[in-house]
Amino acid sequence: MTEWPPADPADASAVADHRDELVAAVRDHAGQIAYQLARLQGGDYGSATIETDRGEWTVKYEGGDLEYLRYDPGRGDEVYVISTKQPPEPGALADALRDYDAFVAGFDDFVATHEGVLDDVSTEFPEVATTDGVVAERDRVLDRVREVCDRIAGQLHRYEGGDYGTFTERVDGTRWELKWDRDGASYLRVGGTGGLYLLSQYEPPSAADIREYAPLFPAFVEAYNDYVDALESDLETVEL
């Protein structure tokens, strides 16, 4: 054990000072244990309990720093040797520190039980499958859908004027909505509010969603063509 400076028990200030010296020394030493424990357990916070012949010690850390060190003698009250609150009572501290060396030895044994457990773990992992083919097919389909939607957006912009607008039609009972602006198609949504965005300014839909809805896209285009045909028919009846 470390030899600490002597103190006069009758002098309360001296006892308190001696107690504070002991606590500071333990905090520094147990802080190293907390740091090693944090590295071993691999988290921002955690704890471990080490048993000795006289009792058990619990060391808790947070952010790699010691939060508290608690000693439970089994018989009698437990004592927080290190805590974020008030320092321990000198008598309880003295009793706990008589077992501190055993705690450190127990921690060393605790670490030793983890040594070698990963020695036979292989790092030969399977090859990772590439998504290049799927992505290329997805982009091929969506690029064609966007090309057509941009053409529709351009025609709607010419006809309706303004900087933006929407075109909606139902395809087999499902609502399709194309939002456009002066630059082209902003989005193509299937299913109304909360539906699937086949085209958007954000992430593309999944391959499964594209497979489901892309075959229905021609029907949407036909609905647009029918809309234009109806407009032309209406205009033909205008006489000046």
Side-chain angles (χ1 to χ4, degrees), residues 91-171:
L93 175 63
D95 182 62
L97 292 185
R98 292 188 185 95
D99 196 48
Y100 186 76
D101 282 356
F103 159 64
V104 176
F107 178 77
D108 291 344
D109 292 341
F110 172 76
V111 173
T113 62
H114 293 79
E115 294 178 353
V117 296
L118 300 177
D119 289 351
D120 60 349
V121 177
S122 174
T123 56
E124 296 296 327
F125 305 129
E127 290 294 326
V128 177
T130 177
T131 60
D132 291 349
V134 177
V135 171
E137 285 301 296
R138 179 194 68 196
D139 292 347
R140 177 185 66 81
V141 174
L142 292 183
D143 286 349
R144 179 57 178 157
V145 171
R146 181 169 291 280
E147 177 186 351
V148 173
C149 286
D150 283 345
R151 289 175 58 190
I152 293 175
Q155 295 300 321
L156 291 172
H157 175 59
R158 288 183 58 197
Y159 171 71
E160 297 186 10
D163 292 334
Y164 56 89
T166 58
F167 173 75
T168 60
E169 282 290 344
R170 287 196 172 271
V171 177

Side-chain angles (χ1 to χ4, degrees), residues 174 176 190-191 196 198 205 207-218:
T174 300
W176 289 60
V190 185
L196 171 79
L198 196 57
D209 288 333
I210 295 174
R211 181 178 180 84
E212 179 180 358
Y213 290 106
L216 304 177
F217 179 66

Side-chain angles (χ1 to χ4, degrees), residues 27 35 38 52 84 116 131 143 149 159 163 205 215 217 221 236 240:
R27 182 184 297 277
Y35 173 74
T52 66
T84 59
T131 60
D143 286 349
C149 286
Y159 171 71
D163 292 334
F217 179 66
V221 178
E236 288 176 357
L240 296 178

Side-chain angles (χ1 to χ4, degrees), residues 151-231:
R151 289 175 58 190
I152 293 175
Q155 295 300 321
L156 291 172
H157 175 59
R158 288 183 58 197
Y159 171 71
E160 297 186 10
D163 292 334
Y164 56 89
T166 58
F167 173 75
T168 60
E169 282 290 344
R170 287 196 172 271
V171 177
D172 292 335
T174 300
R175 189 175 189 268
W176 289 60
E177 178 179 277
L178 172 66
K179 184 174 175 27
W180 55 269
D181 56 33
R182 298 180 62 181
D183 297 326
S186 296
Y187 67 72
L188 177 63
R189 185 173 63 198
V190 185
T193 303
L196 171 79
Y197 284 84
L198 196 57
L199 292 180
S200 76
Q201 299 174 342
Y202 304 102
E203 70 274 2
S206 69
D209 288 333
I210 295 174
R211 181 178 180 84
E212 179 180 358
Y213 290 106
L216 304 177
F217 179 66
F220 170 73
V221 178
E222 291 176 0
Y224 163 77
N225 290 337
D226 291 343
Y227 168 76
V228 174
D229 289 343
L231 290 177

Side-chain angles (χ1 to χ4, degrees), residues 1-5 14-32 57 66-71 79-98 100 103:
M1 290 287 292
T2 304
E3 294 183 3
W4 309 105
V15 172
D17 290 342
H18 190 199
R19 188 263 321 275
D20 294 343
E21 290 177 9
L22 290 171
V23 169
V26 174
R27 182 184 297 277
D28 181 65
H29 188 269
Q32 300 176 51
W57 293 77
L66 178 66
E67 184 172 358
Y68 68 71
L69 177 65
R70 185 179 65 216
Y71 174 62
V79 54
Y80 282 82
V81 177
I82 304 295
S83 75
T84 59
K85 300 179 181 179
Q86 64 187 32
E89 188 270 331
L93 175 63
D95 182 62
L97 292 185
R98 292 188 185 95
Y100 186 76
F103 159 64

Side-chain angles (χ1 to χ4, degrees), residues 41-55:
Q41 295 186 336
D44 290 335
Y45 57 89
S47 64
T49 298
I50 306 298
E51 294 186 359
T52 66
D53 291 339
R54 295 187 59 205

